[in-house]
Amino acid sequence: MIGRVRGWRRGWQERTKLQRIDLYTRVTLCSLPWVFLLSWGLLPLGATLDHGPVAMALGAAFFAVNAVQCVLSNRNVAPAFAHYRGAEPFPPRRLRLPAALLVVLTGLLVALAAVGGIDDPGLSLLVLDLPLAFTVPYVLLVPVRTYLLHCAAFGVVVLGLLAAVGAPGGLLFGVAVSLLVVVLLVLVSTRPSAWSLTVMWQAEEARDMQARLAVAEERLRFGRDMHDVLGRNLAVIALKSELAVELAQRGNAAAVDQMVEVQRIARASQQEVRDVVRGYREADLPTELLGAKGVLEAAGITCTVEGADGPAGIGAPPAVQAALGWVVREAATNVLRHGDPRVCVIRLTTTAGAVVLEVENDGAGPGAGQGDGSGAAGGGSGLAGLRERLAALGGSLEAGPAGDGLFRVTATVPLTAPGGRPSPGTLSTEDR
């Protein structure tokens, strides 16, 4: 429990850090157009005060339109990030007004140059702020190659318009350099930041998915353990209850003893359920063998256990014994539920570095395949869950008719774990 709380706290802290990084990146990109607006976009406009009312009006209009462009840029940053991450597409209509404002800004800039309302160095600085607000979200919406081609086309248009109004060659060179700087600045500051955030959020989503898969796996384990624990006990309770009813109808006092036994099994089942909920319970092979023998004999089935005291029984690693204990429990439950057996043999042997458990009974009938976990109609999930347990240890499980009216369940578990490592608790030859 403490480990889960620590893991949850660690995950919450990591997610909080990621949210802070995301917020910092977005605030930085939203602040970038405003910083340029109040520096390269405002300082050069001060020169218009000395060039008459027309220049002043054009400069004021340029600043006002640029401020509106910055507001729209800030509004488009979040959906542009979502588009870049593939979360949701960016609505193309949101670019219509920013594109129109960019055209207006370009016209105002050319008009300032035409009326001589700003000095050549100031005009080169003003160009730094011209496409910035528009390109910050736009660079996230198109591939890099498309972005560079569009920016190049925009630069050619701006240079052509300035040349048309008589801008000298030195000014055109300065404008070209300014456009190149701002285009590359937006590219190297926005795309890598968006890529880093995307990778981090994908890692966070993968961590969340891993946590959900762990929860689902734990639910499956819990359901499997509940089936294994209660299956046999409920079958015994039903059997002894039927026996008690028949004895009571005959007036036999032994019916009371049978109901006392039912009560004992019910209480034991309650404790086993508590153990499963706490996660402490493991099947014990010797105990399960004795329990299966007692339950089957109580049902009038002759049960023989072979090899319980040999190396395959007490000498097997604890993990192997636990897995085989679940097999004994489930197989005994199926013997009670399916067919009408008179004899059952439980056999433990060791062969080729593996422990082999066989549970064989003579009750195989037309429905002998039921309960094998194969998914057939009427089939249960008990042996399917056992196959999962054994597969974790590199083992296997087979169940089916064995001829002459016999039905056999065979479980094979190697004494070494997958990968060549000894299973936990494996005893050496000297220890045995």
Side-chain angles (χ1 to χ4, degrees):
M1 184 64 180
I2 295 178
R4 293 179 181 176
V5 171
R6 289 177 178 174
W8 176 84
R9 176 183 293 180
R10 189 183 307 111
W12 178 81
Q13 291 175 346
E14 292 294 331
R15 190 172 186 86
T16 301
K17 291 179 181 178
L18 181 55
Q19 290 174 343
R20 290 177 179 174
I21 296 174
D22 188 295
L23 179 61
Y24 171 79
T25 303
R26 293 173 186 267
V27 169
T28 301
L29 294 179
C30 290
S31 301
L32 189 61
W34 294 100
V35 171
F36 270 68
L37 173 67
L38 298 176
S39 56
W40 313 123
L42 180 60
L43 294 178
L45 294 177
T48 60
L49 299 176
D50 301 330
H51 293 79
V54 175
M56 291 175 57
L58 291 174
F62 186 92
F63 183 84
V65 174
N66 205 357
V68 176
Q69 184 80 296
C70 291
V71 173
L72 296 176
S73 176
N74 290 169
R75 293 183 58 187
N76 288 334
V77 165
F81 262 104
H83 178 90
Y84 183 84
R85 292 176 54 192
E88 57 181 309
F90 185 90
R93 65 180 182 275
R94 297 180 69 107
L95 283 180
R96 294 173 185 171
L97 183 55
L101 293 180
L102 181 60
V103 173
V104 173
L105 284 173
T106 304
L108 292 172
L109 180 70
V110 174
L112 278 172
V115 301
I118 189 171
D119 299 332
D120 290 353
L123 186 64
S124 298
L125 292 178
L126 199 60
V127 170
L128 285 173
D129 190 46
L130 177 63
L132 181 71
F134 179 84
T135 54
V136 167
Y138 185 71
V139 73
L140 299 175
L141 304 177
V142 296
V144 175
R145 182 177 180 179
T146 303
Y147 167 77
L148 293 176
L149 289 176
H150 288 177
C151 290
F154 175 75
V156 170
V157 172
V158 172
L159 292 174
L161 291 174
L162 290 176
V165 297
L171 176 60
L172 296 179
F173 178 77
V175 169
V177 172
S178 297
L179 286 174
L180 179 62
V181 169
V182 71
V183 167
L184 295 180
L185 175 64
V186 172
L187 178 62
V188 301
S189 62
T190 305
R191 295 282 295 203
S193 299
W195 179 82
S196 299
L197 284 178
T198 301
V199 172
M200 287 189 290
W201 278 117
Q202 288 176 348
E204 181 65 23
E205 292 170 359
R207 189 181 297 109
D208 292 342
M209 180 61 69
Q210 184 180 13
R212 288 193 292 269
L213 290 176
V215 171
E217 182 179 356
E218 182 64 15
R219 287 176 178 171
L220 291 175
R221 183 203 66 81
F222 183 79
R224 181 186 62 196
D225 287 356
M226 290 295 292
H227 174 276
D228 294 344
V229 166
L230 294 180
R232 186 189 68 182
N233 289 357
L234 292 177
V236 175
I237 288 175
L239 179 66
K240 287 187 172 293
S241 298
E242 294 174 0
L243 180 59
V245 170
E246 294 180 2
L247 293 176
Q249 290 174 347
R250 299 174 184 175
N252 194 328
V256 176
D257 296 333
Q258 295 297 325
M259 292 309 299
V260 170
E261 182 67 12
V262 168
Q263 185 181 42
R264 183 193 67 79
I265 296 174
R267 289 177 176 174
S269 298
Q270 288 180 331
Q271 183 59 45
E272 289 180 341
V273 170
R274 295 190 190 100
D275 292 340
V276 169
V277 172
R278 296 190 185 109
Y280 294 152
R281 189 180 188 280
E282 283 294 343
D284 179 68
L285 181 57
T287 301
E288 295 298 336
L289 289 172
L290 291 176
K293 181 177 175 64
V295 168
L296 294 176
E297 290 181 346
I301 302 172
T302 302
C303 182
T304 304
V305 178
E306 301 176 0
D309 299 330
I314 60 176
V320 174
Q321 290 196 39
L324 295 179
W326 288 113
V327 176
V328 171
R329 173 179 282 264
E330 179 63 25
T333 302
N334 288 341
V335 169
L336 292 172
R337 287 180 176 175
H338 309 294
D340 186 20
R342 296 184 303 274
V343 178
C344 178
V345 178
I346 303 175
R347 188 179 301 110
L348 276 168
T349 58
T350 303
T351 175
V355 178
V356 179
L357 169 68
E358 293 180 340
V359 181
E360 186 178 271
N361 67 87
D362 61 351
Q370 295 180 356
D372 63 355
S374 62
S381 59
L383 296 186
L386 293 178
R387 287 189 175 96
E388 296 177 3
R389 291 182 185 274
L390 298 182
L393 298 175
S396 61
L397 183 73
E398 297 178 0
D404 297 330
L406 299 178
F407 188 88
R408 181 182 301 148
V409 175
T410 304
T412 305
V413 184
L415 293 174
T416 55
R421 300 185 306 273
S423 297
T426 303
L427 299 179
S428 64
T429 306
E430 292 77 4
D431 294 334
R432 296 177 187 171

